[in-house]
Amino acid sequence: GQQVMQIPQYQHVQEGEDFTTYCNSSTTLSNIQWYKQRPGGHPVFLIQLVKSGEVKKQKRLTFQFGEAKKNSSLHITATQTTDVGTYFCAGFEGSQGNLIFGKGTKLSVKP
Amino acid sequence: DVKVTQSSRYLVKRTGEKVFLECVQDMDHENMFWYRQDPGLGLRLIYFSYDVKMKEKGDIPEGYSVSREKKERFSLILESASTNQTSMYLCASSLWGGLKETQYFGPGTRLLVL
């Protein structure tokens, strides 16, 4: 079945450093979504990418969808303490099936 | 704003007890989901429902059942709780419109089975 692999599992950075999490699928995805879960909170939708090679930005966050629609990345420029949490990617394969979540990358930021 | 609520934030039960976890959404969403979240394992889908009285197994349905008698309510049932069901349980809902819709999550129920 479809798997969505996400790396790294944990990332600890100094405030101001950049951060990137990567998502890879064994099969072509129809789209990919990104969620953020703050400590003690629940996952909250950030963005959805649909087109091959698509790049979207939200302030310091840059989301990319690979040309082959099998991988995606989330890059945070100049991290802040408010960025701490776990970032999940989630992908759909084809028009059927469920949203498959990656295991998440837990980001901690040292002030 | 979409609101998804879960009946309890924290729950402690004993092995063998029957446990009900309730989820309610107020946005007339067709799709509802139950996940469990465990460290290092991410979010795993237990059951989902696309309509009233309709249910489908997810990736880890063993030991669980669900009920959807009304559109806004999706219940997760542990028929006989076991210690390996200690976990964070998250409910989510999404609009019909294909499976590509955003999922909105509830606050979660942290269940401890002793």
Side-chain angles (χ1 to χ4, degrees):
Chain A
Q2 180 193 4
Q3 287 192 341
V4 175
M5 308 300 292
Q6 192 173 353
I7 56 170
Q9 190 172 355
Y10 303 97
Q11 185 77 60
H12 181 74
V13 300
Q14 188 78 37
E15 188 173 22
E17 292 181 342
D18 293 354
F19 159 76
T20 306
T21 174
Y22 300 91
C23 210
N24 290 285
S25 170
S26 54
T27 57
T28 301
L29 300 170
S30 59
N31 67 358
I32 197 155
Q33 297 178 359
W34 285 91
Y35 292 77
K36 177 183 178 180
Q37 183 176 24
R38 295 183 184 275
H42 56 275
V44 175
F45 175 80
L46 292 176
I47 208 159
Q48 176 171 279
L49 304 171
V50 179
K51 299 176 184 175
S52 169
E54 189 170 13
V55 178
K56 286 187 177 180
K57 292 192 175 184
Q58 289 179 350
K59 297 182 180 178
R60 294 178 294 103
L61 277 62
T62 302
F63 304 84
Q64 290 188 318
F65 201 10
E67 293 290 341
K69 301 182 77 173
K70 286 187 175 182
N71 57 72
S72 180
S73 65
L74 158 59
H75 179 82
I76 302 178
T77 304
T79 54
Q80 300 175 359
T81 54
T82 52
D83 295 325
V84 299
T86 301
Y87 293 85
F88 293 95
C89 62
F92 277 109
E93 181 187 43
S95 60
Q96 301 295 324
N98 292 308
L99 194 60
I100 306 298
F101 282 85
K103 292 185 179 179
T105 296
K106 187 174 183 179
L107 172 66
S108 60
V109 179
K110 185 177 180 181
Chain B
D1 285 345
V2 176
K3 190 168 184 183
V4 181
T5 57
Q6 294 182 228
S7 51
S8 306
R9 290 301 303 271
Y10 301 95
L11 210 53
V12 180
K13 295 292 182 181
R14 295 202 177 276
T15 301
E17 280 192 78
K18 191 169 185 177
V19 182
F20 292 88
L21 301 182
E22 304 284 340
C23 175
V24 178
Q25 48 92 8
D26 66 356
M27 285 301 292
D28 204 33
H29 283 177
E30 287 81 5
N31 306 329
M32 296 189 77
F33 308 83
W34 274 107
Y35 295 89
R36 64 178 283 178
Q37 184 176 24
D38 302 287
L41 298 178
L43 290 165
R44 293 182 291 167
L45 182 64
I46 304 171
Y47 266 98
F48 59 98
S49 170
Y50 294 146
D51 203 351
V52 175
K53 296 190 185 295
M54 179 273 180
K55 59 185 179 184
E56 292 286 343
K57 292 180 179 179
D59 299 319
I60 51 164
E62 297 77 21
Y64 303 94
S65 62
V66 290
S67 172
R68 193 158 180 209
E69 296 296 317
K70 293 183 178 181
K71 190 176 185 180
E72 66 271 17
R73 187 180 297 270
F74 192 36
S75 303
L76 180 69
I77 303 153
L78 286 66
E79 294 289 343
S80 178
S82 62
T83 54
N84 62 13
Q85 291 179 310
T86 291
S87 186
M88 167 70 89
Y89 290 88
L90 288 161
C91 174
S93 72
S94 69
L95 276 169
W96 184 251
L99 298 171
K100 302 176 184 179
E101 292 294 334
T102 303
Q103 292 194 10
Y104 296 87
F105 285 84
T109 296
R110 193 169 290 280
L111 172 67
L112 172 62
V113 182
L114 301 174

